[in-house]
């Protein structure tokens, strides 16, 4: 696990980023979110499934970094899981 997050692509060049079931292995979570925002096009989509970490800590991280707005959450009825698919749009 590397501490510094650097995605080797140009600024504003990616339409969507998928982060599913890996957040628990990332040391620099704010750095990851900032780097994802850097590479996403304006109005680009970040989709996340924060399994093993949970929606609440991930939403707190997103709010702390301040680069994305929640677009939609896919929470099945009667779900007791702390993690669901969350989609964000770049501010």
């Amino acid at each position: 696990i590397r501490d510094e997050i650097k995605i080797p692509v140009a600024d504003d060049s990616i339409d969507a980023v998928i982060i599913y079931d890996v957040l628990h292995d990332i040391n620099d979570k704010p750095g990851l979110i900032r780097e994802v925002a850097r590479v996403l096009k304006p109005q680009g989509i970040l989709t996340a499934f924060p399994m093993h970490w949970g929606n609440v800590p991930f939403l707190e991280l997103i709010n702390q970094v301040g680069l994305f707005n929640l677009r939609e959450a896919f929470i099945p009825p009667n779900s007791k899981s702390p993690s669901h698919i969350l989609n964000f749009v770049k501010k």
Side-chain angles (χ1 to χ4, degrees), residues 9-38:
V9 298
D11 295 359
D12 302 322
S13 62
I14 303 293
D15 291 313
V17 172
I18 300 169
I19 301 175
Y20 280 23
D21 196 18
V22 298
L23 288 166
H24 57 283
D25 286 331
I26 304 297
N27 290 331
D28 183 9
K29 292 170 183 63
L32 172 66
I33 300 306
R34 285 190 293 274
E35 187 66 358
V36 166
R38 179 188 69 78

Side-chain angles (χ1 to χ4, degrees), residues 3-67:
D3 287 339
E4 183 180 337
I5 306 293
K6 184 68 177 163
I7 301 170
V9 298
D11 295 359
D12 302 322
S13 62
I14 303 293
D15 291 313
V17 172
I18 300 169
I19 301 175
Y20 280 23
D21 196 18
V22 298
L23 288 166
H24 57 283
D25 286 331
I26 304 297
N27 290 331
D28 183 9
K29 292 170 183 63
L32 172 66
I33 300 306
R34 285 190 293 274
E35 187 66 358
V36 166
R38 179 188 69 78
V39 301
L40 277 175
K41 292 178 181 178
Q43 299 301 307
I45 300 294
L46 164 61
T47 183
F49 179 53
M51 183 153 183
H52 298 106
W53 207 52
N55 286 3
V56 172
F58 188 68
L59 289 168
E60 289 172 355
L61 170 65
I62 291 293
N63 288 333
Q64 171 195 354
V65 175
L67 298 172

